[in-house]
Amino acid sequence: MDESALRDFGAAGIILSGGPESVVADHPLVALPAVFELGVPVLGICYGMQAMAKQLGGAVEAGAEREFGYAQVSVVADCPLLTGFADSHDEQDRPLLDVWMSHGDRVVRVPPGFCAVGATDNAPVAVMADEARRFYGLQFHPEVTHTRQGKHMLARFVHDICGCGTAWTPANIIDDALTRVRAQVGEERVVLALSGGVDSSVAAALLHRAIGKQLHCIFVDHGLLRLHEGDEVMATFARHMGVSVKRVDAQERFMSALAGVTDPEEKRKIIGRLFVEIFEEEACKLSAGEMGRQGMGTIRFLAQGTIYPDVIESAGSVTGKAHVIKSHHNVGGLPQRMNMELVEPLRELFKDEVRTLGIELGLAREMVCRHPFPGPGLGVRILGEVRLQYAHTLRLADAIFLQELRNAGWYDRVSQAFAVYLPVYSVGVMGDQRCYEHVIALRAVETVDFMTAHWAHLPYELLERLSTRIINEVAGVSRVVYDISGKPPATIEWE
């Protein structure tokens, strides 16, 4: 967006978001000068706060100690953005806020007109404010659920300080999505890439409501699904929801293309390319069938359950300036040239919003609240080269993990849980004999928006039972480990 477009937009307020760049680098990204000249409230978050501080006359330096993950902010001055918010209090009865940090640089001197409102042990300016201009800066990330008061802070800024309304409701989101889908596709038919996961399932329900029989779901079984998942997907959609679904057995094709490939980005791109190729082929078959002979024409729309975290991690935003964390098969993994136009009704939503929409659309809670499963499937949970035997082993271990979580009442207490096949060998002793076999890692996290996550503190007794069952029941496994990394710095998936 250039200066004139920004001025013509008529914004009620501006949020400068975080990002991976460094303000102290040689050529840092800067905010347009008009941002600070429009007379509207401005909120800088993480890098946005650092850019604001430097551009308005403050000072930023590379921090000797980085902050990634949980931190506690001590509120040392009054500020309308934070008034009334506290997770606890210190000995002087000052408010303390539990927040989520992800930064290396830090503001060491606020610009003229600002005051320091909050601090942590490693960030002397964790919150800053210029009340006269209604400019605010937060070093932490209020948009993630692990900043406990973050949602309220954003609501305070958007509604109270900027004066914006509250039209972002599930019913309004659905109505808007239905209108946009119908306007985009008209009377034409749409092929939906159905995986059976939460996102594509909600997308299917939304599209079915929008265009009915114009929707054709293609379920590609790439041989990298969870145990019995293919049959469950077909039963759910084709039999119970009345949605047209075609199952394509493409295991051999995917395995052949992935042979010898170890780089996770390359695997994701191969899987994304093959998905699109198959969807285009199936669309051509549909067009050449009975409906095509009746003059319906070529199917040129491909629908996906893309959500906003996919876009963020794949650096798929319209600015083109984001950094790739990992290419999701449905965003960064797509080929540059496609014969079909994308329809993505969930692209601007987070996982918790998608689930809320699913309930609003009438989907069963057990479907909407099931744990997410990536489009590339086990292909990104088998570290290194993907082989059929590895997939079979991982499927069995993963099934045991999920079964034991359900038995122990933990499945609904964690947001996502899965097993990972590690490309390393470990010495073990079985039947009084030495064995040298693979390692399975287990991962369970607690989150809402999936942009940040805590590792789940599963009981030791449950972990012990899981290890015993997997090693005893799954051939080729001699050791089980548990992942205790948060997001950030780790991502939820390993690849």
Side-chain angles (χ1 to χ4, degrees):
M1 181 178 288
D2 58 23
E3 290 268 355
S4 60
L6 177 59
R7 294 182 186 277
D8 293 341
F9 185 78
I14 295 174
I15 295 178
L16 302 175
S17 69
E21 287 82 7
S22 172
V23 169
V24 299
D26 291 336
H27 303 287
L29 290 176
V30 298
L32 293 172
V35 167
F36 307 112
E37 299 168 357
L38 293 177
V40 300
V42 180
L43 172 63
I45 296 173
C46 195
Y47 182 88
M49 167 176 157
Q50 295 165 5
M52 176 191 291
K54 185 175 181 181
Q55 288 180 240
L56 296 180
V60 181
E61 66 178 25
E65 296 184 12
R66 302 179 298 172
E67 284 186 309
F68 294 104
Y70 171 80
Q72 194 169 62
V73 171
S74 176
V75 179
V76 298
D78 292 334
C79 174
L81 185 65
L82 305 181
T83 300
F85 302 146
D87 296 309
S88 58
H89 291 80
D90 65 12
E91 294 178 353
Q92 287 77 43
D93 201 34
R94 294 178 302 187
L96 297 174
L97 298 170
D98 296 331
V99 303
W100 202 258
M101 293 280 196
S102 183
H103 70 100
D105 300 342
R106 62 181 186 175
V107 176
V108 293
R109 187 180 72 248
V110 299
F114 282 79
C115 68
V117 174
T120 69
D121 292 339
N122 295 322
V125 184
V127 184
M128 66 180 191
D130 178 342
E131 295 299 342
R133 290 183 286 182
R134 295 179 298 171
F135 290 174
Y136 307 91
L138 302 175
Q139 184 58 74
F140 55 87
H141 287 266
E143 75 276 15
V144 302
T145 54
H146 287 98
T147 295
R148 295 173 61 187
Q149 302 295 331
K151 183 177 181 180
H152 303 300
M153 295 176 198
L154 291 174
R156 175 74 55 78
F157 178 76
V158 171
H159 303 308
D160 297 344
I161 296 175
C162 297
C164 295
T166 57
W168 191 254
T169 64
N172 286 342
I173 294 171
I174 290 173
D175 288 343
D176 179 65
L178 295 177
T179 300
R180 285 189 286 120
V181 167
R182 289 165 182 159
Q184 181 181 5
V185 307
E187 299 297 321
E188 297 196 42
R189 290 175 293 156
V190 177
V191 167
L192 169 67
L194 178 65
S195 70
V198 175
D199 305 329
S200 68
S201 298
V202 174
L206 185 61
L207 289 165
H208 192 247
R209 177 177 292 190
I211 58 176
K213 293 184 179 180
Q214 293 170 236
L215 176 65
H216 299 272
C217 297
I218 305 296
F219 171 53
V220 177
D221 187 343
H222 48 17
L224 297 168
L225 299 170
R226 290 174 287 201
L227 194 65
H228 307 311
E229 187 158 30
D231 295 335
E232 292 172 358
V233 169
M234 294 302 295
T236 297
F237 284 90
R239 299 175 198 168
H240 301 322
M241 292 182 61
V243 178
S244 171
V245 182
K246 180 178 180 181
R247 182 174 184 173
V248 179
D249 184 359
Q251 174 178 287
E252 185 175 338
R253 189 167 171 179
F254 277 86
M255 289 298 173
S256 176
L258 290 168
V261 179
T262 59
D263 180 74
E265 277 294 290
E266 188 177 354
K267 287 196 293 185
R268 285 178 174 271
K269 291 182 183 298
I270 288 172
I271 292 171
R273 172 179 56 79
L274 282 177
F275 267 126
V276 170
E277 286 180 4
I278 293 170
F279 294 136
E280 289 180 339
E281 291 166 6
E282 293 302 319
C284 288
K285 292 177 184 178
L286 281 169
S287 298
E290 182 179 351
M291 294 181 70
R293 288 194 296 271
Q294 294 176 355
M296 296 296 290
T298 301
I299 297 178
R300 63 184 186 90
F301 290 103
L302 170 64
Q304 300 188 129
T306 305
I307 64 174
Y308 200 53
D310 301 341
V311 177
I312 294 171
E313 293 187 337
S314 303
S317 62
V318 293
T319 64
K321 294 181 179 179
H323 289 218
V324 173
I325 299 173
K326 57 185 178 185
S327 294
H328 289 257
H329 75 291
N330 54 342
V331 186
L334 295 175
Q336 291 295 317
R337 293 186 178 182
M338 292 174 53
N339 297 323
M340 305 178 75
E341 180 181 334
L342 290 177
V343 179
E344 298 175 316
L346 309 178
R347 187 181 176 90
E348 297 176 350
L349 304 178
F350 288 90
K351 181 73 72 175
D352 55 322
E353 295 172 314
V354 172
R355 287 198 163 113
T356 301
L357 254 62
I359 298 296
E360 187 83 8
L361 288 164
L363 294 177
R365 184 172 183 82
E366 55 268 24
M367 175 193 294
V368 174
C369 295
R370 68 183 303 198
H371 290 183
F373 188 61
L378 302 183
V380 291
R381 292 179 178 176
I382 299 171
L383 273 58
E385 183 182 8
V386 177
R387 297 181 183 178
L388 271 178
Q389 181 56 48
Y390 295 170
H392 176 67
T393 299
L394 182 56
R395 243 189 299 272
L396 296 178
D398 188 75
I400 292 172
F401 188 17
L402 298 183
Q403 181 187 62
E404 286 295 337
L405 286 176
R406 288 189 175 95
N407 292 343
W410 270 88
Y411 183 85
D412 291 327
R413 295 175 62 181
V414 301
S415 308
Q416 187 170 4
F418 55 90
V420 180
Y421 193 96
L422 303 187
V424 294
Y425 290 89
S426 169
V427 173
V429 179
M430 295 184 182
D432 296 330
Q433 292 184 349
R434 178 186 185 274
C435 64
Y436 191 49
E437 295 176 328
H438 276 284
V439 179
I440 291 290
L442 303 180
R443 176 92 159 129
V445 298
E446 297 172 345
T447 181
V448 174
D449 56 14
F450 287 82
M451 293 303 298
T452 60
H454 285 301
W455 63 275
H457 293 202
L458 300 182
Y460 290 152
E461 294 81 4
L462 175 56
L463 292 172
E464 181 180 26
R465 188 160 62 250
L466 285 164
S467 176
T468 300
R469 280 200 61 190
I470 290 171
I471 293 173
N472 285 345
E473 299 176 29
V474 182
V477 177
S478 63
R479 193 177 299 268
V480 174
V481 298
Y482 188 55
D483 182 352
I484 59 170
S485 308
K487 177 184 180 179
T491 56
I492 294 176
E493 298 285 348
W494 279 46
E495 286 194 344

